[in-house]
């Protein structure tokens, strides 16, 4: 079992930055692929970024590539999402998720989810 708790959301102006954190419980954190998804009002949840268990491979949605960076610290059981050059269209609830084995961008492949943290980007 893995429990995930996100933090770091808030209100920021367009062009600003935020860093989200996701703290995980469980001794097997380092064996999980970790990902961030987001859900804007009235829209479906969508993939943002993922990182392999070792941190050696990262994957991004085209909409955030070059602006967001996912990373992890297995010693701290934490995954991060550094978000730069934020745009109003990045406004959403951001969710941390975990899955065993290989990378996927499919929501249904992820077994564990956090409660979400709100990110609001004003224009």
């Amino acid at each position: 079992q893995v429990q995930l708790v996100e933090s770091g959301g808030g209100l920021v102006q367009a062009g600003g930055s935020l860093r989200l954190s996701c703290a995980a419980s469980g001794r097997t954190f380092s064996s999980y692929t970790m990902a961030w998804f987001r859900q804007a009002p009235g829209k479906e949840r969508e993939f943002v970024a993922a990182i392999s268990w070792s941190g050696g491979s990262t994957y991004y949605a085209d909409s955030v590539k070059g602006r967001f960076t996912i990373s992890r610290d297995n010693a701290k059981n934490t995954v991060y999402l550094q978000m730069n050059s934020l745009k109003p269209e990045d406004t959403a609830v951001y969710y941390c998720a975990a899955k065993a084995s290989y990378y996927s961008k499919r929501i249904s492949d992820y077994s564990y989810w956090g409660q979400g943290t709100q990110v609001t980007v004003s224009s």
Side-chain angles (χ1 to χ4, degrees):
Q1 280 281 31
V2 177
Q3 292 185 324
L4 305 173
V5 179
E6 303 97 334
S7 61
L11 173 63
V12 64
Q13 288 188 332
S17 298
L18 281 175
R19 188 175 83 154
L20 305 183
S21 299
C22 173
S25 65
R27 291 176 291 178
T28 57
F29 171 80
S30 61
S31 67
Y32 284 87
T33 291
M34 301 298 298
W36 289 94
F37 290 78
R38 67 186 181 186
Q39 187 166 16
K43 295 188 177 181
E44 294 187 350
R45 194 169 299 189
E46 65 176 3
F47 170 78
V48 174
I51 188 166
S52 63
W53 67 271
S54 67
S57 296
T58 55
Y59 312 89
Y60 296 94
D62 288 343
S63 59
V64 306
K65 204 171 292 184
R67 300 188 299 121
F68 291 10
T69 302
I70 188 171
S71 62
R72 67 189 296 163
D73 185 338
N74 286 343
K76 295 182 178 180
N77 280 13
T78 303
V79 63
Y80 305 96
L81 185 68
Q82 178 66 44
M83 305 186 295
N84 299 329
S85 302
L86 282 160
K87 305 175 181 180
E89 52 262 44
D90 294 318
T91 295
V93 177
Y94 283 71
Y95 297 90
C96 176
K99 69 177 297 292
S101 195
Y102 301 109
Y103 152 75
S104 170
K105 64 171 64 176
R106 294 195 308 181
I107 294 170
S108 58
D109 286 341
Y110 286 80
S111 303
Y112 304 103
W113 291 85
Q115 82 289 349
T117 185
Q118 176 71 46
V119 171
T120 303
V121 184
S122 64
S123 57

